[in-house]
Amino acid sequence: KFKGVELANALLSDEEKAEGRDNDLITLPHLHEPALLHAVSERFVVGKIYTWTGPILIAVNPFKRLPLYTTEILESYRREGLLLSQGLGDGKSS
């Protein structure tokens, strides 16, 4: 009855995952809400909170602290913002 019709999202091979094909939901064979929610959920479970769908970034709140910003990076943002607020910076990081 459904010969030649792909009914579900095929699992990607380890090689395809290594190429980053699982980072872009546009590669899903079916782009509908259940498929997108399932893919984002599967990525969330393994700690991948950022996902692309074409040029659009999807970010899922992990509800936990992530080591994205070191103390040095946060301090440089604070310092740069302070300089800009006082008219002493040009907006470019040094």
Side-chain angles (χ1 to χ4, degrees):
K1 180 176 177 179
F2 296 107
K3 188 174 183 178
V5 176
E6 195 170 352
L7 297 177
N9 292 328
L11 296 176
L12 294 175
S13 68
D14 290 336
E15 182 179 312
E16 290 172 317
K17 287 180 182 179
E19 291 172 2
R21 287 200 53 209
D22 62 336
N23 290 332
D24 194 344
L25 297 182
I26 206 76
T27 62
L28 289 174
H30 302 286
L31 285 175
H32 50 65
E33 186 176 358
L36 293 173
L37 291 175
H38 176 74
V40 169
S41 175
E42 289 291 310
R43 291 178 57 77
F44 176 81
V45 168
V46 295
K48 295 181 177 180
I49 62 167
Y50 298 112
T51 307
W52 293 95
T53 180
I56 300 167
L57 174 65
I58 299 171
V60 179
N61 186 343
F63 299 105
K64 63 182 177 182
R65 287 202 175 269
L66 297 174
L68 298 176
Y69 300 106
T70 64
T71 302
E72 293 80 21
I73 291 173
L74 292 174
E75 181 60 29
S76 72
Y77 287 153
R78 187 195 67 75
R79 188 173 42 255
E80 186 174 322
L82 182 61
L83 290 173
L84 285 173
S85 70
Q86 296 175 358
L88 301 173
D90 61 1
K92 297 178 183 173
S93 298
S94 51

